[in-house]
Amino acid sequence: MKFFLDTADINDIKEAASWGAIQGVTTNPSLYARTGGKLADFHDHIKKICEIVDGPVSAETVAENRDDMVADGLELSKIAPNVVVKIPTTVEGLAATHTLSAKGVNVNMTLCFTVPQAILAARAGARYISPFIGRYDDISEDGIEHLSEIVQAINNYDFGHPVEIIAASIRSANHVTQAALMGVDIATVPFPVLEKMVNHPLTTNGLDRFMADWEKVKNA
Ligand code: G3P
């Protein structure tokens, strides 16, 4: 499993990259807004992320129709070779993905919730598909179960081009565990979840014990 960081926060990206923990980044309009980012700085911001991360960086279009999505996607793809254009799984999004993928632009179809949506995304040419887990949990459905159905369905077919699933809307380390056990290609995680993935109370406790015993060795 590869880990992407689900954020637009440059400091968090630098920190996670310094751990060798991330192989890509996913951003969305909400995540960019959370950094206090301005529209005029958006492309520069994505460029900075692309320079830090040696891997795919998803930048989402906010256009609402296929022509604008394609135009926006082409602009985004010029920012850096590792930009992936993120497009919602809608009729307009599928049409834009179809056009952009034919032009060699890598697309990540996002806001994917069902097996039919995922297959349509792959058929339209999406390089990545992002099923959302937490948003299902928010409405008292089992996001992991939906993810598992999508993984199984996508693995049933050869789409004639590489398709990787990005487990998204991840809220806990347990979501990551469940996704890894079903062999999901990529998990995109918020920084606080990445920290929780590293830290374990028994690791902390074990380290405390080693350090206490080492004090005894030093004083012996
Ligand atoms: O990658 C998608 C993600 O940013 C959405 O997460 O927590 O807003 O459902 P969340």
Side-chain angles (χ1 to χ4, degrees), residues 6 26 28 31 34 86 110 132 134-135 138 168-171 188:
D6 196 25
T26 52
N28 65 33
L31 294 171
R34 217 172 284 167
K86 205 172 178 192
T110 188
F132 276 33
R135 302 275 176 107
D138 290 345
S169 183
I170 281 183
R171 308 279 175 75
T188 190

Side-chain angles (χ1 to χ4, degrees), residues 3-220:
F3 297 127
F4 288 4
L5 200 62
D6 196 25
T7 188
D9 187 301
I10 300 275
N11 290 332
D12 286 352
I13 293 167
K14 280 186 182 160
E15 180 61 20
S18 77
W19 306 349
I22 53 166
Q23 292 79 50
V25 163
T26 52
T27 69
N28 65 33
S30 307
L31 294 171
Y32 183 57
R34 217 172 284 167
T35 67
K38 296 188 176 60
L39 181 61
D41 302 331
F42 180 60
H43 281 208
D44 280 348
H45 194 86
I46 295 294
K47 193 172 167 52
K48 272 188 208 145
I49 297 174
C50 288
E51 284 162 5
I52 301 166
V53 180
D54 184 16
V57 173
S58 289
E60 188 155 347
T61 177
V62 285
E64 290 179 32
N65 65 64
R66 63 190 74 185
D67 293 341
D68 291 349
M69 284 176 181
V70 169
D72 202 17
L74 288 173
E75 285 306 307
L76 289 169
S77 71
K78 283 184 207 151
I79 296 174
N82 51 336
V83 163
V84 172
V85 178
K86 205 172 178 192
I87 294 186
T89 313
T90 59
V91 167
E92 293 306 301
L94 284 174
T97 296
H98 188 48
T99 303
L100 284 168
S101 61
K103 291 177 187 292
V105 174
N106 284 327
V107 174
N108 170 6
M109 289 216 86
T110 188
L111 287 165
C112 175
F113 290 92
T114 68
V115 167
Q117 281 183 318
I119 294 173
L120 286 163
R123 290 284 173 222
R127 173 70 181 76
Y128 302 95
I129 302 171
S130 295
F132 276 33
I133 301 173
R135 302 275 176 107
Y136 262 129
D137 294 353
D138 290 345
I139 58 164
S140 303
E141 287 198 37
D142 186 350
I144 288 295
E145 183 57 35
H146 284 283
L147 174 67
S148 151
E149 288 175 1
I150 289 171
V151 170
Q152 207 181 314
I154 290 296
N155 287 341
N156 280 342
Y157 305 103
D158 177 0
F159 295 96
H161 66 277
V163 178
E164 285 182 284
I165 293 183
I166 305 178
S169 183
I170 281 183
R171 308 279 175 75
S172 65
N174 186 50
H175 276 163
V176 176
T177 301
Q178 298 307 316
L181 288 174
M182 67 180 85
V184 174
D185 307 295
I186 300 158
T188 190
V189 297
F191 190 75
V193 172
L194 187 68
E195 286 182 309
K196 284 191 185 128
M197 286 159 55
V198 180
N199 295 319
H200 192 280
L202 289 175
T203 306
T204 311
N205 179 272
L207 191 57
D208 287 348
R209 278 201 223 173
F210 288 149
M211 296 315 277
D213 287 339
W214 197 244
E215 280 306 306
K216 287 182 205 157
V217 171
K218 282 189 341 198
N219 297 325

